[in-house]
């Protein structure tokens, strides 16, 4: 299975004072793509927390596009955590943002970390890494 690819709508309020997508909004785009990717692998939004992130802004996400593409894939699987490789592509396929996130699986009822299940591990293991 290829890395997940998801269309995320841009909104007029995403633009900053100089007319491009604000850097803080980039985290929302990545989150929307990551949530969709993990949902396909049986992990809901309430079942993980971000422990670490690293983001590299490679170019402008210019105004005028109705959507960007967010790609997300697994870089590394641990016992209770995983590392994702993610990027945002403009409509021309150029990577404007590249990111890595360290995610910790979470049990919302117990309010503590949890292990990756065998089913989740099998599904996530089939994913290809996003090239950064």
């Amino acid at each position: 299975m290829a890395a997940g690819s998801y269309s995320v709508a841009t909104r007029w309020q995403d633009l900053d004072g100089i007319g491009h997508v604000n850097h803080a909004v980039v985290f929302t785009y990545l989150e929307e793509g990551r949530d969709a990717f993990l949902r396909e692998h049986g992990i809901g939004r309430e079942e993980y927390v971000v422990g670490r992130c690293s983001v590299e802004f490679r170019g402008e996400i210019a105004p005028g596009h109705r959507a960007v593409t967010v790609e997300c894939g697994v870089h590394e699987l641990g016992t209770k955590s995983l590392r994702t490789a993610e990027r945002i592509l403009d409509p021309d396929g150029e990577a404007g943002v590249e990111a890595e996130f360290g995610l910790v699986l979470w049990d919302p009822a117990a309010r503590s970390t949890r292990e990756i299940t065998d089913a989740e591990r099998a599904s996530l293991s089939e994913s290809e890494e996003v090239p950064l």
Side-chain angles (χ1 to χ4, degrees):
M1 178 177 155
S5 181
Y6 310 92
S7 180
V8 176
T10 58
R11 298 157 286 265
W12 68 268
Q13 68 267 24
D14 296 349
L15 301 180
D16 63 17
I18 62 172
H20 67 222
V21 172
N22 184 278
H23 66 281
V25 174
V26 164
F27 287 92
T28 300
Y29 294 169
L30 292 168
E31 182 176 39
E32 288 182 33
R34 181 182 332 107
D35 285 351
F37 172 76
L38 292 173
R39 196 170 35 253
E40 289 178 358
H41 297 281
I43 300 170
R45 174 63 190 106
E46 68 287 352
E47 295 181 273
Y48 79 90
V49 295
V50 173
R52 166 187 98 64
C53 66
S54 172
V55 178
E56 184 175 342
F57 298 92
R58 300 181 76 49
E60 177 183 37
I61 300 175
H65 302 297
R66 294 186 183 267
V68 294
T69 299
V70 175
E71 292 183 338
C72 184
V74 175
H75 183 66
E76 183 179 0
L77 282 172
T79 304
K80 295 182 177 185
S81 64
L82 63 137
R83 195 163 36 133
T84 60
E86 306 176 20
R87 63 184 183 170
I88 298 176
L89 306 176
D90 68 19
D92 298 324
E94 296 296 319
V97 175
E98 295 180 342
E100 278 192 359
F101 280 79
L103 309 176
V104 179
L105 276 277
W106 184 254
D107 179 338
R111 308 246 357 119
S112 65
T113 61
R114 70 167 180 86
E115 291 191 7
I116 297 172
T117 67
D118 291 342
E120 291 165 345
R121 182 174 302 283
S123 182
L124 290 166
S125 293
E126 295 175 0
S127 298
E128 293 179 10
E129 188 174 331
V130 171
L132 295 181

